[in-house]
Amino acid sequence: MRRRTAAVAAITVGASLLVPAAAGASPVPVPGRPKPPVKQPVATGYGGAVSTVDLDASRTALDVLKRGGNAMDAAVAAAATLGVTEPYVSAIGGGGYITYYDARTRRVYSLDGREFAPKGMKQDAFIDPATGKPLPFDQAVTSGLSVGVPGTLAQWDLALRRFGSRDLGALLRPAIKVADKGFVVDKEFHDQTAVNEERFRDIVPTRELFLPGGKVPAVGSVFRNPDLADTYRQLARRGTDWFYEGGLGREIARTVAKPPVDPKAARDVRPGLMERGDLAAYKAVTRKPTHVPYRGTDVYGMPPSSSGGSTVGEALDILGNFRLDPRDPVTALHYYLEASKLAYADRGRYVGDADKVDVPLDELLSAGFARERACLIKPDQAATAPVAPGSPDGSYEPCVPPGTQTRALAFEGPQTTHLNVADKWGNVVAYTLSIEQFGGSGITVPGRGFLLNNELTDFSFQPPAPGQAPDPNLPGPHKRPRSSMAPTLVLKDGRPTLAVGTPGGSTIITTVLQILMNRLDLGMDLPTALDAPRATQRNTPQVFAEQAFIDTYGRDLAARGHRLELFPGPPAGVIGAATGLELLRPGLVQAVAEPARRGGGSALVVHPARSVVGGRPPTPPGTAR
């Protein structure tokens, strides 16, 4: 993730600092530019709050709240701004999931804006016909074949029609302003461009936009995207039908079918299967959220096609069978890692797009299945991973034999972003959005200023061998690939108390789960729970962890059989970049972002409070003082 301050404020220093309003960035830092304001990772106050990875996006959302917009309005406006300032992870060429608490109905809703595959995609779409083997991952990513039908705009349209109070055109204006005037390039943006430089050079419109003058944008230079500003203006005027049924949709389908590769490039960028009819067929969907009770609270998340809600929920159900004592964090973490291991085994075996495959969701989240899985956990010894999936069949024994074989963990890119918004009326949004890899497919729609996703690489590439269990996550026509995105809301007594989410690919689930355990079980306040060192166990032989986690808990967990290794990234040694909100009492909300991971995030409130609960940490939900 990259966080930076819009150049809008910096440019007011004087006309002499302006550079020509062309796409891309000025090639050198502009002398005399004031340093960007320091972001704050925690803000507490009244009237609404927002936490994102980016100061521009947080400011956009806050301004919407101050002008009378509600949480959904602010979330959409922030996401549109992230499409400008975070173009490698957030764009209208991607998709995402929203978990939403509506204060009027006092209900939780989930809005599925996940991309789906073209009608022409079959199970063997990622098999190279020349070899009969799966395509190398890097070749699959940088191709039209990886591009799913984008869901972001359809999701915004659905969200605003159902729950918003502003039209899309008005909410795009702040993002248009940032795209026109630009933002200051920071080291994160520079480094992530540099990582993509080789493939970006091979795709003409991507090179022209993100490598202005043929170079990676310099730190301190101003990056402008007038093409995206114009695209947003036309969307404001024409509506989302222009994207799905009109001229822009034709341009997208043409770009996917014939990627605009430099004729001199040696890279084989395969054509995709998307047609205009696939865009016209796309619909964002309102779904019933997952729900599990936990420690006196109710935890809501995203149902399939995301595995976030089901896997977080199952792991919480398993953990609910154990007493987690703040005075013994090693034992609590042991149970957390073991519950994650079991839940991931079941995720891989049973969870896919519920519109296309039978997902036994009710049984996966049942108390009986959780007890059956929990009985496999030994208090002093880690199970050898990978463990086998369970049988969520409605008939549960006190215990089942542990297994040692299961499907390998599929790759999911960690390049995603998450934001949270609460408003003065009590509405709360948790929203995770993505284009998959940093830079998605690497393919920019010519003249439109945004990258297309590579979300279809979240499918399993190869069907299982004869005799093996079926794979619920194989490609298929108009099928949504399985995701780990887990925008999560926690309610107590029917009222929202926590919102949390993170990027991180398949580590999203464990990061959200660990933050919830830290907050609800181990007595940490939300800033501490979010900042605490992390580990992820996804049914692999190793537990991957941040160095601070290894330094603090590694020896004691190794004594119980856990094999801890440094998380390989990207970025190496850093798991996730979470954001959260906590409603401390009626009207008082605390917004929380990362203080350090991936450059830190931005938390803002409408009316800052002078103190928080008498200066002491608030009581964790579900506990008593």
Side-chain angles (χ1 to χ4, degrees):
M1 303 301 122
R2 295 151 310 281
R3 272 69 53 195
R4 67 201 61 81
T5 301
V8 176
I11 290 169
T12 60
V13 173
S16 63
L17 300 184
L18 293 174
V19 296
S26 56
V28 294
V30 181
R33 174 171 288 109
K35 292 182 179 179
V38 177
K39 296 168 294 184
Q40 57 183 34
V42 180
T44 306
Y46 302 88
V50 57
S51 55
T52 81
V53 299
D54 178 76
L55 183 56
D56 298 323
S58 293
R59 284 175 165 172
T60 292
L62 196 72
D63 188 60
V64 171
L65 295 176
K66 287 181 175 180
R67 293 174 181 269
N70 65 23
M72 191 63 81
D73 301 326
V76 169
T81 300
L82 287 169
V84 180
T85 61
E86 301 277 336
Y88 301 148
V89 299
S90 170
I92 56 174
Y97 297 99
I98 295 173
T99 306
Y100 175 69
Y101 174 81
D102 182 62
R104 183 180 62 83
T105 61
R106 298 187 66 177
R107 290 181 57 192
V108 178
Y109 300 84
S110 61
L111 306 181
D112 185 341
R114 179 68 158 168
E115 304 89 337
F116 69 26
K119 185 177 181 180
M121 179 159 272
K122 297 180 172 55
Q123 288 190 356
D124 61 354
F126 289 103
I127 300 296
D128 187 341
T131 64
K133 297 180 180 180
L135 292 174
F137 187 75
D138 61 337
Q139 293 184 27
V141 167
T142 309
S143 74
L145 197 62
S146 73
V147 182
V149 178
T152 292
L153 281 169
Q155 186 180 40
W156 290 355
D157 180 67
L158 174 63
L160 294 175
R161 283 188 287 107
R162 288 290 307 273
F163 305 111
S165 67
R166 301 286 190 271
D167 63 58
L168 179 60
L171 298 173
L172 289 174
R173 287 175 196 149
I176 292 169
K177 185 176 181 181
V178 176
D180 273 333
K181 295 193 174 182
F183 58 84
V184 179
V185 172
D186 65 6
K187 189 175 185 299
E188 290 287 330
F189 186 88
H190 171 276
D191 290 351
Q192 289 166 13
T193 308
V195 167
N196 280 294
E197 180 178 4
E198 183 179 342
R199 66 177 185 141
F200 280 8
R201 286 195 183 281
D202 290 342
I203 301 171
V204 176
T206 306
R207 179 179 67 212
E208 292 173 347
L209 177 58
F210 294 110
L211 300 173
K215 298 179 180 179
V216 175
V219 175
S221 61
V222 176
F223 189 92
R224 292 180 171 84
N225 193 339
D227 286 346
L228 183 57
D230 181 66
T231 299
Y232 277 178
R233 286 190 185 95
Q234 294 198 51
L235 282 167
R237 185 170 66 253
R238 301 183 186 201
T240 58
D241 284 351
W242 179 55
F243 188 97
Y244 290 100
E245 300 179 16
L248 183 53
R250 287 194 296 271
E251 294 176 34
I252 292 169
R254 184 166 60 243
T255 302
V256 172
K258 190 176 180 180
V261 183
D262 188 330
K264 299 177 182 178
R267 184 182 303 274
D268 181 8
V269 182
R270 290 171 171 81
L273 302 170
M274 191 186 303
E275 299 178 352
R276 286 182 58 193
D278 295 311
L279 286 131
Y282 185 85
K283 303 293 180 187
V285 184
T286 303
R287 302 190 187 277
K288 180 182 178 182
T290 61
H291 168 234
V292 296
Y294 187 72
R295 313 292 194 200
T297 70
D298 294 280
V299 180
Y300 292 87
M302 281 304 308
S305 56
S306 178
S307 64
S310 64
T311 312
V312 170
E314 181 186 344
L316 289 173
D317 278 342
I318 294 170
L319 287 173
N321 288 276
F322 303 98
R323 182 174 180 270
L324 306 184
D325 191 339
R327 296 168 297 182
D328 185 6
V330 172
T331 295
L333 289 166
H334 168 73
Y335 285 130
Y336 152 70
L337 295 171
E338 293 299 280
S340 298
K341 189 182 298 179
L342 295 164
Y344 268 85
D346 299 327
R347 167 190 178 271
R349 170 63 182 86
Y350 298 110
V351 181
D353 182 355
D355 292 338
K356 302 294 182 180
V357 297
D358 182 20
V359 179
L361 184 61
D362 290 344
E363 292 302 327
L364 287 171
L365 296 177
S366 68
F369 184 60
R371 284 194 297 271
E372 186 175 81
R373 299 299 271 159
C375 77
L376 300 176
I377 298 177
K378 298 179 180 179
D380 56 356
Q381 182 62 46
T384 301
V387 299
S391 298
D393 54 10
S395 177
Y396 302 118
E397 301 296 330
C399 208
V400 295
T404 58
Q405 298 296 323
T406 189
R407 188 173 290 112
L409 183 69
F411 182 85
E412 286 182 72
Q415 295 79 14
T416 307
T417 190
H418 181 85
L419 63 92
N420 307 280
V421 184
D423 62 31
K424 63 183 178 182
W425 297 285
N427 303 300
V428 182
V429 174
Y431 182 13
T432 311
L433 59 160
S434 180
I435 63 170
E436 178 58 5
Q437 296 288 291
F438 283 133
S441 64
I443 300 171
T444 299
V445 181
R448 295 303 177 191
F450 64 90
L451 287 154
L452 293 169
N453 69 84
N454 67 289
E455 296 288 2
L456 300 188
T457 57
D458 278 355
F459 282 125
S460 302
F461 277 23
Q462 188 169 21
Q468 288 188 341
D471 187 338
N473 192 42
L474 290 170
H478 288 180
K479 185 177 181 181
R480 290 171 164 87
R482 181 174 61 211
S483 170
S484 294
M485 290 185 245
T488 301
L489 295 179
V490 179
L491 276 62
K492 181 171 174 59
D493 299 327
R495 300 287 187 181
T497 183
L498 290 172
V500 67
T502 184
S506 60
T507 70
I508 289 172
I509 291 165
T510 53
T511 296
V512 169
L513 179 63
Q514 190 175 356
I515 291 170
L516 292 177
M517 182 185 71
N518 289 344
R519 182 72 188 99
L520 301 177
D521 291 297
L522 300 185
M524 301 179 193
D525 60 18
L526 186 58
T528 306
L530 195 141
D531 186 40
R534 294 175 186 149
T536 180
Q537 168 51 269
R538 294 161 289 163
N539 199 25
T540 59
Q542 312 92 332
V543 174
F544 291 106
E546 296 176 333
Q547 189 62 52
F549 186 96
I550 295 172
D551 293 343
T552 306
Y553 306 111
R555 180 178 296 180
D556 290 333
L557 288 171
R560 302 192 190 203
H562 297 281
R563 291 173 48 192
L564 273 71
E565 295 183 14
L566 186 67
F567 181 68
V574 178
I575 300 176
T579 59
L581 291 175
E582 179 166 355
L583 286 86
L584 301 174
R585 59 175 183 257
L588 181 64
V589 62
Q590 184 175 67
V592 182
E594 295 281 4
R597 291 182 182 93
R598 301 194 192 181
S602 171
L604 296 172
V605 294
V606 174
H607 302 295
R610 293 184 178 181
S611 62
V612 182
V613 198
R616 63 183 180 180
T619 305
T623 66
R625 288 214 185 268

